[in-house]
Amino acid sequence: ELKVEQNPLFLSMQEGKNYTIYCNYSTTSDRLYWYRQDPGKSLESLFVLLSNGAVKQEGRLMASLDTKARLSTLHITAAVHDLSATYFCAVDIPGTASKLTFGTGTRLQVTL
Amino acid sequence: GAVVSQHPSRVICKSGTSVKIECRSLDFQATTMFWYRQFPKQSLMLMATSNEGSKATYEQGVEKDKFLINHASLTLSTLTVTSAHPEDSSFYICSARGWGLEGEKLFFGSGTQLSVL
């Protein structure tokens, strides 16, 4: 059974600070996704990582993938309040084409 | 870009009634759609895989008679919560595979908040 764990589960950080969210998964996978969810809303796609060593950046967020370590990171640079949300990583269940197992989620709170 | 529309966004119903949630792929064909549920402050759990023209595949522990899935066309899947009870109250989200700027990706509906009184 594929397990996906994120840490931390909750993160409170000040504006302007940097931090990293970690996503570990238990078996090999084709793709790793990062999503953002605001309260009461659905998921907003942030990144899709397809291969070992993949790195993608969008604004203050940067995601990377190490398939050998089965680890992905989401790095936040100079956080701003608007980044406050819950972030999920998700991994394709091998051989099932787009059937996802989601991580536990990290609730990020950026304080002024 | 590909869009998945989900309706209703919010529904309140009495215990014992049935509720239907629709998930439509607006500008692409989706042979496969997925249904997730999410309890407050928790992650998303896959309930079932909806396959156009065939029976849905349910995850372990999900009652197929309770959560009826129909995928009658390439652009529409429906989830019916039958004889709803308060413990069925949850946020339900559908997703479908489509093509974006970076190739194939999953698109998520806007979600349905179900509250059973």
Side-chain angles (χ1 to χ4, degrees), chain B residues 2 11 18 35 42 45-46 54 57 65-66 73 95 99 113:
Chain B
V11 58
S18 294
W35 287 96
Q42 293 190 24
M45 299 297 292
L46 179 65
S54 64
T57 305
D65 294 331
K66 173 77 170 173
S73 76
S95 72
W99 288 89
Q113 182 63 54

Side-chain angles (χ1 to χ4, degrees), chain A residues 17-36:
Chain A
K17 299 293 186 183
N18 305 331
Y19 208 83
T20 301
I21 299 171
Y22 297 88
C23 174
N24 288 91
Y25 53 99
S26 59
T27 65
T28 57
S29 176
D30 298 331
R31 300 178 189 188
L32 188 134
Y33 302 79
W34 282 99
Y35 294 96
R36 168 183 171 142

Side-chain angles (χ1 to χ4, degrees), chain A residues 7-20:
Chain A
N7 71 83
L9 297 182
F10 177 73
L11 175 57
S12 179
M13 57 191 296
Q14 288 182 317
E15 276 201 333
K17 299 293 186 183
N18 305 331
Y19 208 83
T20 301

Side-chain angles (χ1 to χ4, degrees), chain A residues 31 33 35 37 40-43 45 56 88 97-100 102-104, chain B residues 34 36 38 42-44 46 59 91 93 97 102 104-106 108-110:
Chain A
R31 300 178 189 188
Y33 302 79
Y35 294 96
Q37 186 180 38
K41 305 291 185 181
S42 188
L43 302 180
S45 178
K56 291 192 175 179
F88 291 98
S98 302
K99 198 169 162 179
L100 298 184
F102 280 82
T104 43
Chain B
F34 303 93
Y36 296 85
Q38 184 182 31
Q42 293 190 24
S43 188
L44 280 77
L46 179 65
E59 295 301 303
F91 193 56
I93 307 175
R97 278 189 289 160
E102 295 178 316
E104 188 184 82
K105 61 187 294 186
L106 278 179
F108 284 83
S110 51

